[in-house]
């Protein structure tokens, strides 16, 4: 029963293998026309030999409609050669072919056998041969549709055999039997060939499917390789690939576009305070906001890494700054993460192609430079790279070159600015400030060359040379005066430099308590953990630490608590505005803060008497500024100290009393 069901399913063309059916049909298309041609030629030959012996209605009357029907089918198949059918249509067409083939077989076998009654042994022999040859020919032509081949064979050979058995003629019976057996063998061969064909098609289609899957995986891998896993935005690789493609497409064209870099402000403290997981969540939120904005405004936004994002803007470049600002403003809106409401800032730098650069790296560097400008001079805003920046870069390059060739011993000097205690107005120590007289560039201001030395990795060498000079000179002054020395971010994150500084202190035999290293919040923020370790080492050796430019950076109270700080230096911008309530309020609260934490507090930039009086009223006890003395060369200080024990008219006292100057609520 099961076998019959399988056989019937096979005969009706199994629809479960559409790819095989389609391949079968494609092969069949090319063979069926030959089948019909063979059929017609053979039939005409039989009709011809029987023309004289059989009735005309049989030789001509029946043959002609048969030939017409056969030709119509043949033409239909020839036309079908150029038509590609889908699997479903191919299956339908093949089912039709099985049925039609069976009908044709019935017609042809009936016609041939009806002719057998006429003529002598030769004519009868011709009929037997016609049937035999034609059926084998047809089976061969139908080898790609074995179902039809089987039907035709069955419909032809069985009646053929039965007919000759009925005739009781041994020779014809033997021929019929022979043909039947040959057909069986041929069918067996065809079916095994057909199985091979099916296997081949199946393996080809498996291979194609595998190839398709591989292609899909490759495409997916390529997408992932260009996607940032955290934010799902395109990543840095995509950004540069896209930038390069854009430039290649626009070469020789007038079209402009803008490259932007956006960096979050205050992300680091959030990460440090709330942990990396929350930091990641925040970045994801930022990413999803930017993705939305990008889609709305047709900007390609990417995450370049850390808290840095990049974008490509192909609209009107005059509006690029506005776009950058829209991004910054969007990032600045508060975030609700769990129970927390957080805010971060964002600054942006933009470079426009082709003015700012014609290569991906040039454009990126310029937008990064513009970003650096936003970060240092106008946080939260957007800077577009300009001619002015170009000139600045050129002068920085000149500084860089001169610095590389500079003789640190002869070209660099340390100037000393007195730190004055109030109310007695005596000098308790000095802040060492670097001066460079380059034979090529003449006098270069310290904030310029320090920044270049930091960027080019020459700062540690410079720090060591300057510190050595400063310690050597301060030692020559009478009394125990304190020395404040500025350190850069790279200094306080390098264990080697920290140990070299302590070595120098020991080598010169200076009391470490007289040394204060000044650091800024920004220099600590970059790599907090390493910096903290180095600062603890310094503090452990007995030197003091001061937080410089306080009030201008993050002024995060967290840092005051977490870092081993002894002293806060109030930035001079507050003294400059001391007549305004905001600035004087800031100074008052910093002084109060230092008082409650029992820290030293130096107010910088005191330039006139009224400022001094206002500060005295706030019970400020350490000051620095042009009102007392500018930074002076060592010789000048040494001279007047030797002559009358003063500097710019201020008496030199000792740093011994410094500890008492720690502001205390008492
Ligand atoms: P800073 O550490 O904040 O140094 C104070 C700056 O204010 C000095 O500028 C000083 O000349 C200036 N200044 C002092 N009193 C007054 C005043 O009453 N009014 C005004 N308007 N300015 C006053 P300078 O010497 O040009 O140094 C600039 C910056 O360069 C320093 O700022 C410091 O950050 C850096 N720097 C200087 N020397 C070194 C050094 O040896 N190493 C490192 N890492 N940085 C240094
Ligand atoms: Ca300083
Ligand atoms: Ca300062």
């Amino acid at each position: 029963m099961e076998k019959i069901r399988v056989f019937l399913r096979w005969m009706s063309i199994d629809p479960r293998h559409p790819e095989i059916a389609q391949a079968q049909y494609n092969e069949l298309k090319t063979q069926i026309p030959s089948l019909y041609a063979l059929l017609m030629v053979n039939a005409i030959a039989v009709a011809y030999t029987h023309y004289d012996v059989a009735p005309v209605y049989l030789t001509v009357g029946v043959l002609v409609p048969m030939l017409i029907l056969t030709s119509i089918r043949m033409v239909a198949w020839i036309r079908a050669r150029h038509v590609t059918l889908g699997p479903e249509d191919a299956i339908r067409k093949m089912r039709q072919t099985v049925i039609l083939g069976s009908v044709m077989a019935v017609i042809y076998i009936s016609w041939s056998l009806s002719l057998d009654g006429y003529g002598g042994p030769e004519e009868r022999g011709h009929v037997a041969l016609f049937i035999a040859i034609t059926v084998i020919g047809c089976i061969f032509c139908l080898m790609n549709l074995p179902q039809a081949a089987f039907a035709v064979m069955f419909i032809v050979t069985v009646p053929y055999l039965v007919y000759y058995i009925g005739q009781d003629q041994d020779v014809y019976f033997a021929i019929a039997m022979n043909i039947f057996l040959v057909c069986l063998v041929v069918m067996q061969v065809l079916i095994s060939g057909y199985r091979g064909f099916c296997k081949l098609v199946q393996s080809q289609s498996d291979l194609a499917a595998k190839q398709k899957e591989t292609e899909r995986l490759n495409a997916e891998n390529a997408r992932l390789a260009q996607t940032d896993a955290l934010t799902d935005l395109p990543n840095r690789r995509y950004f540069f690939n896209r930038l390069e493609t854009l430039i290649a497409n626009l070469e020789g064209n007038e079209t402009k576009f803008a490259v932007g870099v956006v960096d979050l402000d205050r992300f680091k403290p959030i990460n440090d305070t709330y942990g990396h997981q929350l930091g990641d969540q925040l970045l994801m939120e930022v990413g999803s906001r930017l993705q939305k904005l990008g889609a709305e405004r047709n900007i390609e936004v990417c995450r370049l890494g850390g808290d840095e994002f990049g974008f490509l803007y192909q609209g009107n470049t005059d509006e690029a700054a506005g776009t950058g600002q829209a991004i910054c403003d969007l990032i600045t809106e508060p975030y609700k993460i769990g129970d927390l409401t957080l805010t971060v800032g964002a600054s942006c730098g933009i470079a426009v192609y082709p003015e700012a650069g014609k290569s991906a790296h040039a454009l990126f560097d310029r937008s990064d430079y513009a970003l650096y400008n936003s970060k240092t001079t106008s946080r939260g805003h957007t800077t577009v790279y300009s001619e002015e920046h170009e000139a600045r870069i050129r002068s920085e390059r000149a500084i860089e070159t001169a610095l590389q060739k500079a003789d640190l011993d002869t070209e660099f000097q340390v100037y000393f600015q007195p730190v004055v205690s109030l109310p007695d107005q005596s000098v308790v120590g000095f802040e060492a400030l670097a001066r460079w007289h380059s034979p090529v560039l003449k006098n270069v201001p310290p904030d310029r060359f320090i920044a270049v030395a930091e960027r080019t990795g020459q700062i540690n060498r410079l720090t060591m040379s300057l510190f050595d000079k400063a310690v050597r000179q301060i030692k020559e002054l009478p009394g125990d005066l304190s020395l404040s020395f500025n350190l850069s971010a790279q200094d306080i994150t390098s264990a080697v430099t920290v140990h070299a500084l302590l070595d120098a202190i020991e080598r010169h035999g200076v009391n470490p308590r007289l040394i204060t290293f000044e650091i800024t919040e920004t220099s600590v923020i970059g790599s907090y953990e390493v910096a903290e370790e180095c600062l603890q080492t310094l503090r452990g050796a007995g030197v003091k630490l001061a937080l410089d430019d306080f009030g201008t950076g993050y002024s995060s109270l967290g840092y005051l608590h977490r870092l081993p700080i002894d002293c806060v230096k109030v930035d001079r911008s507050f003294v400059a505005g001391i007549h305004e309530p905001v600035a004087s309020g800031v100074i008052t609260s910093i002084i109060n803060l230092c008082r409650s934490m029992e820290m030293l507090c130096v107010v910088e930039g005191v330039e006139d008497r009224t400022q001094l009086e206002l500060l005295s009223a706030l019970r400020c006890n350490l000051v620095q500024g042009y009102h007392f003395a500018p930074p002076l060369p060592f010789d000048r200080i040494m001279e007047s100290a030797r002559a009358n024990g003063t500097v710019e008219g201020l008496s030199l006292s000792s740093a011994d009393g410094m500890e008492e100057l720690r502001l205390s609520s008492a």
Side-chain angles (χ1 to χ4, degrees), residues 270-513:
I270 289 183
N271 222 5
D272 286 348
T273 314
Y274 299 105
H276 288 255
Q277 207 181 350
L278 192 122
D280 281 356
Q281 269 174 294
L282 183 63
L283 287 173
M284 275 154 72
E285 276 292 316
V286 172
S288 91
R289 283 187 193 181
L290 293 184
Q291 200 147 37
K292 226 169 117 207
L293 183 88
E296 279 166 16
R297 297 202 175 197
N298 206 9
I299 316 167
E300 289 182 88
V301 187
C302 309
R303 180 175 173 223
L304 302 179
D307 59 351
E308 196 178 46
F309 296 84
F311 68 88
L312 300 171
Y313 173 74
Q314 293 188 69
N316 181 355
T317 48
D318 294 339
E319 286 161 17
T323 303
Q325 199 51 49
I327 291 179
C328 293
D329 295 345
L330 182 70
I331 294 176
T332 314
E333 279 168 30
Y335 296 83
K336 191 129 185 56
I337 298 175
D339 298 334
L340 291 170
T341 304
L342 299 169
T343 51
V344 277
S347 307
C348 172
I350 286 178
V352 175
Y353 170 90
E355 286 105 276
K358 286 183 179 161
S359 74
H361 282 279
L363 282 168
F364 180 73
D365 285 351
R366 304 287 141 90
S367 54
D368 203 39
Y369 189 86
L371 169 69
Y372 172 77
N373 260 271
S374 293
K375 286 232 151 210
T376 47
T377 60
S378 57
R379 257 168 202 274
H381 293 99
T382 300
T383 308
V384 180
Y385 186 82
S386 66
E387 280 293 321
E388 202 182 304
H389 297 123
E390 189 69 40
R392 203 176 162 82
I393 285 186
R394 242 176 274 137
S395 102
E396 266 175 33
R397 287 218 184 105
I399 293 178
E400 193 179 323
T401 318
L403 194 59
Q404 258 154 5
K405 293 186 196 142
D407 177 351
L408 300 189
D409 280 342
T410 57
E411 292 177 32
F412 285 84
Q413 262 191 295
V414 181
Y415 273 39
F416 294 88
Q417 182 176 39
V419 179
V420 178
S421 78
L422 294 181
D424 59 320
Q425 300 201 9
S426 63
V427 176
V428 287
F430 293 90
E431 175 175 0
L433 292 156
R435 294 291 178 265
W436 180 24
H437 182 85
S438 151
V440 190
L441 303 172
K442 309 301 167 203
N443 288 332
V444 186
D447 32 20
R448 299 290 308 279
F449 69 77
I450 294 287
V452 173
E454 284 173 347
R455 192 165 47 72
T456 57
Q458 302 186 72
I459 188 72
N460 303 87
R461 199 166 65 98
L462 187 59
T463 297
M464 287 322 301
S465 160
L466 290 167
F467 185 63
D468 203 69
K469 271 189 192 138
V471 175
R472 215 172 335 114
Q473 294 178 329
I474 197 110
K475 243 179 56 178
E476 290 180 31
L477 292 174
D480 285 336
L481 292 160
S482 79
L483 170 71
S484 291
F485 188 86
N486 295 286
L487 292 182
S488 291
Q490 279 104 319
D491 297 325
I492 54 162
T493 49
S494 151
V496 176
T497 307
V498 164
H499 285 113
L501 289 168
L502 293 177
D503 269 0
I505 294 172
E506 205 185 311
R507 201 171 55 244
H508 291 291
V510 194
N511 181 352
R513 276 169 225 296

Side-chain angles (χ1 to χ4, degrees), residues 554-565:
Y554 300 104
S555 300
S556 144
L557 295 182
Y559 286 101
L560 273 189
H561 276 289
R562 285 161 71 188
L563 291 172
I565 299 294

Side-chain angles (χ1 to χ4, degrees), residues 237-268:
R237 180 178 297 152
Y238 174 88
F239 180 78
F240 280 102
N241 283 347
R242 188 76 188 97
L243 190 51
E244 266 156 20
T245 317
L246 216 56
I247 292 170
N249 291 346
L250 293 181
E251 207 159 12
N253 200 314
E254 294 284 277
T255 320
K256 296 178 171 192
F257 72 92
V259 180
V261 190
V262 177
D263 194 277
L264 303 192
D265 299 326
R266 298 187 307 276
F267 176 71
K268 188 87 185 155

Side-chain angles (χ1 to χ4, degrees), residues 431-433 485-486 518 548-549 569 604 624:
E431 175 175 0
L433 292 156
F485 188 86
N486 295 286
E518 299 191 0
D548 205 356
D549 303 344
K569 295 193 80 174
E604 292 186 290
Q624 226 178 300

Side-chain angles (χ1 to χ4, degrees), residues 21 67 77 87 348 351 371 445 552 610 626-627 648:
L67 290 182
W77 276 98
C348 172
L371 169 69
T552 57
T610 35
Y626 294 164
H627 177 64
E648 302 291 284

